[in-house]
Amino acid sequence: MAVAVTKSTLNRMSIEEFLAWDSGDDRRYELVDGWPVAQSAPSRSHGCMDVIVGAGLKNRLKPAGRPCVVENGSALPIDKPWTVRAPDLLVRCGADWQTADAPILAVDILPPTNSASEMARRRDDYASAGIQQVLEPDQDDARALLWRADGDRWIVETIRDLQGSTTLDIIGVSIPMAEINEDVELTPPDDAGRPGSASAP
């Protein structure tokens, strides 16, 4: 999912420099410890799930009157000098629509390449930015991990049943697993080495 840009071609960047930087290509980048990191192009399943979950969030938040906005691939500066994340989806809320700028929920669609340790580091970065829940649907398996911040740790709930739902209580929204996996080509489950297969830190 993530590929580091050759460091010899760039200087280390601050958050401000990164946000003003033009990469000259169409790839999505994150800033990790000061270095731009290019994100791999999403698979078909990843792209479908991204659209479905984003639409599902927006279509449920609006009728409920929740003052929240759903963003795709937006930059999320982390509360440290050298890091900017870009989750697949980001939900920001506020007192009203005009002030909906506080990030509270992130969605990262699990690719087969990211390790459990990389996903754990992302969640810790999200927590420092104020994220309270992280949804990680698996692009290859009918499974989703829902992480809830609890002080300085994360508590994980695993949803496997296609008849079940992901209950995002932080925004009062529930999305059926069958909807999340619509149009997604699933493979037989194999937890060995998959992100989130180990116990939560």
Side-chain angles (χ1 to χ4, degrees):
M1 179 178 177
V3 180
V5 176
T6 305
K7 294 182 179 179
S8 62
T9 64
L10 294 169
N11 294 320
R12 200 175 185 213
M13 297 182 186
S14 67
I15 288 177
E16 292 75 16
E17 290 170 332
F18 174 75
L19 294 176
W21 174 59
D22 181 359
S23 66
D25 57 42
D26 295 327
R27 303 178 75 178
R28 181 187 298 179
Y29 287 83
E30 292 185 328
L31 185 71
V32 181
D33 295 331
W35 299 107
V37 177
Q39 306 301 293
S40 300
S43 67
R44 177 184 181 276
S45 293
H46 188 128
C48 288
M49 192 171 282
D50 196 356
V51 171
I52 290 168
V53 176
L57 288 169
K58 182 176 180 180
N59 291 340
R60 287 166 173 82
L61 286 167
K62 286 287 187 181
R66 296 280 298 179
C68 303
V69 295
V70 182
E71 303 173 3
N72 181 282
S74 296
L76 179 65
I78 304 303
D79 189 20
K80 59 178 69 171
W82 304 97
T83 300
V84 176
R85 291 296 187 179
D88 289 313
L89 296 165
L90 183 65
V91 176
R92 298 180 189 265
C93 299
D96 51 48
W97 302 107
Q98 286 70 38
T99 60
D101 58 2
I104 63 171
L105 171 73
V107 179
D108 270 333
I109 297 167
L110 288 177
T113 52
N114 276 28
S115 66
S117 60
E118 163 62 15
M119 299 309 294
R121 179 175 181 182
R122 294 181 71 86
R123 288 190 296 273
D124 288 343
D125 285 344
Y126 292 156
S128 73
I131 297 292
Q132 299 175 48
Q133 290 187 358
V134 180
L135 177 63
E136 295 174 354
D138 194 317
Q139 70 174 27
D140 296 319
D141 184 11
R143 177 188 69 146
L145 304 176
L146 177 57
W147 299 83
R148 295 178 174 90
D150 181 33
D152 59 356
R153 63 174 183 157
W154 291 92
I155 297 176
V156 64
E157 174 189 358
T158 302
I159 305 101
R160 284 190 175 277
D161 188 356
L162 278 177
Q163 305 304 312
S165 293
T166 57
T167 302
L168 309 171
D169 37 19
I170 192 65
I171 54 174
V173 164
S174 181
I175 305 179
M177 285 290 288
E179 180 178 332
I180 290 175
N181 289 278
E182 184 181 356
D183 298 329
V184 174
E185 186 175 343
L186 301 176
T187 56
D190 178 10
D191 282 344
R194 297 288 286 159
S197 60
S199 59

